[in-house]
Amino acid sequence: MADRGSKRCVTVDLQCEWGSCTHVSPRMEDFCSHMSEHLRLYQQQSREEAMECEDEFCCLWLSCGFFTTDSLDFIRHVYFHCYHTKLKQFGLQALQSQTDLNPCQLDIQTRNIIPELQDGFVCMWDQCESSYDNAEWYYRHVDTHGLSAEYEVSGKENRVLMCGWKDCDISCKSRWKLREHLRSHTQEKVISCPNCGGMFANNTKFYDHLRRQTSLEEHRFQCSHCSKRFATERLLRDHMRNHVNHYKCPLCDMTCPLPSSLRSHIRFRHSDERPFKCQHCDYSCKNLVDLRRHQDTHSKIPAYCCEYEDCTFTARSLSSIKAHHRKFHEGDSEPRYKCHVCEKCFTRGNNLTVHLRKKHQFKWPSGHPRFRYKEHDDGFLRLQLVRYESVELTEQLMKEREKQGALLDSTTTCLVLSPVGSSESDEGAYERTVGDRDCVILPE
């Protein structure tokens, strides 16, 4: 299971979930060929029936609901279901081999929801640029570059394998390391949760996904920043890295821990583009998850049922069922939010937000959509006034302030020159605290 090549030889049951089809294939080649026939018949039927929305393609995979106006996007999406099905089989086999792990407890309704795919599967290896519609063939193709790369001399006696990907100068000491490194370029995942469908870069991350769902009594390691608890110290260290911001938005004051979170921030805060449109009404949104949640509201069949005994409440959206749980089953009237200035308590976070803005004139920097609240030892949630930033980002921000003629004093932001966290990767992180109510600094 550790090597991708060996996984291809493992016997799996690849079940088609297109419409009412129950076909099962033992090999990916057969499975993808079977799926090609579904695509051919689907496109033929669309032409013959002269469908009213013939320029729209709707995925018929069970519990998916994806649709697009781009035929190539549609083909890539459908073939990715084949690849996702294989990864879920790997996840099932991995779970069966770990008797100390409990199965995933998350919502099974997401098991066939696959991520938004890149515009095209294009190999960027030097002088290659082959393109594919099927993720399986794309990942296999890129892997052949790792298998056929030739060693180069580095130094007196060292021999290394150079990555030939565009703009990459990484070298690896072994062929296995190079093949693993190439996944960072292709964003390939190698295993998926058979219950919720989540995809992971290796088995360890999949096992972590399961361990995070153990009972709270087993979560002995607590984050000092956000109070979340974890089953192992390594999970806590991995989590703490996500609190350290490394990237600043070029359009506002927002800082983020990852390039992906920065891209997401720019898309949601600085772009008006809403490419995902509902086929039933005028609604449009910025990502596929929001669209699928909206589409639930058009369904005549309730998608969610209250799990509490003797409660017959049903809803067509996840937000509605969560609101019902808070109001009728979770003691929503108990105040849990407390103002750190005047100690006034509130039952909802948005009520405390209004209080802080109107009563105490608190504001957040441009780019931040809302306040964040942290749970304290007394059980109350108070305003989060701290964020962590890397040394490099701190130096960048200070240079920008110097260019703007800004002065760092007690009325703006102060730097606490002490490393955050205990792992080596955290030693470059510094803590920023707020000293002025007009400059509340929040985490991403």
Side-chain angles (χ1 to χ4, degrees):
M1 293 292 288
D3 181 80
R4 178 175 51 197
S6 64
K7 281 187 177 182
R8 289 183 186 147
C9 301
V10 175
T11 302
V12 290
D13 294 324
L14 304 169
Q15 181 171 338
C16 178
E17 297 186 67
W18 181 269
S20 58
C21 183
T22 57
H23 172 83
V24 178
S25 299
R27 300 168 63 247
M28 277 297 289
E29 289 81 359
D30 299 335
F31 194 36
C32 291
S33 177
H34 169 80
M35 199 65 241
S36 297
E37 184 64 14
H38 278 307
L39 282 170
R40 186 187 67 79
L41 293 175
Y42 177 88
Q43 293 169 336
Q44 177 182 334
Q45 182 182 6
S46 298
R47 290 191 297 269
E48 291 177 351
E49 296 181 358
M51 296 174 64
E52 182 178 343
C53 298
E54 59 182 354
D55 60 339
E56 292 188 353
F57 303 89
C58 182
C59 180
L60 302 184
W61 202 271
L62 181 66
S63 302
C64 177
F66 170 84
F67 75 93
T68 180
T69 58
D70 189 309
S71 60
L72 292 179
D73 283 346
F74 179 66
I75 292 172
R76 279 193 294 268
H77 171 89
V78 172
Y79 279 132
F80 202 88
H81 275 300
C82 297
Y83 181 69
H84 190 220
T85 298
K86 182 187 77 168
L87 298 195
K88 285 186 290 185
Q89 280 288 298
F90 289 159
L92 179 62
Q93 293 176 354
L95 178 61
Q96 292 172 344
S97 69
Q98 301 291 318
T99 57
D100 62 322
L101 288 177
N102 294 321
C104 172
Q105 303 297 316
L106 300 183
D107 190 353
I108 195 173
Q109 293 186 12
T110 65
R111 65 181 297 272
N112 285 333
I113 302 299
I114 60 178
E116 299 174 27
L117 303 179
Q118 52 193 328
D119 293 336
F121 295 115
V122 180
C123 177
M124 301 302 291
W125 192 270
D126 185 36
Q127 299 182 345
C128 182
E129 296 189 0
S130 300
S131 62
Y132 295 84
D133 294 326
N134 189 322
E136 175 74 13
W137 311 145
Y138 171 62
Y139 297 140
R140 289 193 187 188
H141 166 81
V142 173
D143 192 41
T144 61
H145 288 301
L147 288 168
S148 60
E150 296 184 0
Y151 280 94
E152 299 181 14
V153 177
S154 175
K156 292 183 177 180
E157 298 180 353
N158 293 331
R159 294 200 314 155
V160 297
L161 292 163
M162 299 298 299
C163 176
W165 207 263
K166 182 179 179 182
D167 299 326
C168 182
D169 56 2
I170 292 294
S171 63
C172 302
K173 294 183 178 180
S174 69
R175 200 171 298 281
W176 179 83
K177 282 290 185 181
L178 177 59
R179 295 168 67 196
E180 184 181 58
H181 163 73
L182 284 173
R183 293 175 191 156
S184 68
H185 293 302
T186 62
Q187 302 302 304
E188 179 188 3
K189 308 300 181 185
V190 301
I191 193 168
S192 184
C193 178
N195 181 73
C196 72
M199 301 171 64
F200 307 94
N202 53 53
N203 284 21
T204 300
K205 292 184 182 296
F206 170 52
Y207 298 148
D208 288 346
H209 162 73
L210 300 176
R211 290 189 180 99
R212 288 189 180 99
Q213 300 174 46
T214 57
S215 63
L216 290 178
E217 289 76 14
E218 298 179 40
H219 289 196
R220 298 183 293 109
F221 302 91
Q222 186 172 19
C223 174
S224 60
H225 183 63
C226 68
S227 299
K228 287 185 178 179
R229 306 182 71 90
F230 299 88
T232 67
E233 186 177 6
R234 183 175 56 79
L235 287 176
L236 173 60
R237 288 199 303 268
D238 291 343
H239 164 79
M240 284 295 294
R241 295 189 184 100
N242 294 326
H243 284 310
V244 181
N245 295 329
H246 296 272
Y247 305 91
K248 180 184 181 298
C249 175
L251 303 173
C252 69
D253 296 332
M254 186 71 166
T255 56
C256 304
L258 300 169
S260 58
S261 55
L262 178 58
R263 288 195 297 269
S264 177
H265 160 76
I266 292 175
R267 182 170 72 250
F268 280 91
R269 301 298 298 176
H270 301 298
S271 172
D272 295 327
E273 184 179 1
R274 295 175 176 267
F276 297 90
K277 304 181 185 301
C278 178
Q279 58 184 333
H280 304 295
C281 68
D282 295 333
Y283 177 84
S284 62
C285 55
K286 296 185 177 182
N287 68 12
L288 187 58
V289 174
D290 288 344
L291 177 61
R292 284 171 174 154
R293 288 174 180 168
H294 165 79
Q295 286 176 328
D296 287 341
T297 64
H298 290 296
S299 173
K300 295 181 180 180
I301 302 175
Y304 302 93
C305 301
C306 181
E307 298 177 352
Y308 282 81
E309 189 176 357
D310 299 329
C311 183
T312 59
F313 181 83
T314 60
R316 290 198 295 263
S317 69
L318 181 61
S319 58
S320 296
I321 199 72
K322 285 184 176 180
H324 166 78
H325 283 172
R326 286 196 305 267
K327 185 174 182 180
F328 294 98
H329 301 298
E330 297 179 4
D332 195 37
S333 59
E334 186 71 23
R336 293 200 61 219
Y337 294 84
K338 178 177 285 191
C339 175
H340 67 289
V341 179
C342 67
E343 298 293 302
K344 188 172 182 178
C345 298
F346 302 86
T347 57
R348 294 178 178 272
N350 61 330
N351 292 338
L352 176 53
T353 296
V354 172
H355 169 80
L356 289 171
R357 297 186 67 183
K358 291 187 175 181
K359 178 69 175 178
H360 301 297
Q361 289 76 51
F362 275 83
K363 302 189 275 192
W364 48 75
S366 65
H368 292 273
R370 59 190 175 93
F371 290 137
R372 298 274 185 174
Y373 297 103
K374 173 183 176 180
E375 184 174 0
H376 289 247
D377 293 338
D378 59 3
F380 284 102
L381 291 101
R382 295 179 177 83
L383 181 64
Q384 177 61 266
L385 297 173
V386 174
R387 72 180 177 194
Y388 303 128
E389 290 169 349
S390 67
V391 172
E392 292 79 7
L393 182 56
T394 300
E395 291 174 348
Q396 175 189 337
L397 295 172
M398 293 178 70
K399 288 179 181 179
E400 290 181 1
R401 284 178 175 271
E402 289 176 0
K403 289 181 180 179
Q404 298 170 359
L407 297 176
L408 289 173
D409 56 30
S410 60
T411 62
T412 57
T413 305
C414 62
L415 294 178
V416 181
L417 299 180
S418 58
V420 175
S422 57
S423 65
E424 293 181 2
S425 62
D426 292 332
E427 289 181 357
Y430 284 95
E431 181 182 79
R432 300 182 71 191
T433 59
V434 176
D436 177 34
R437 67 181 55 179
D438 292 329
C439 187
V440 175
I441 306 291
L442 301 166
E444 181 269 331

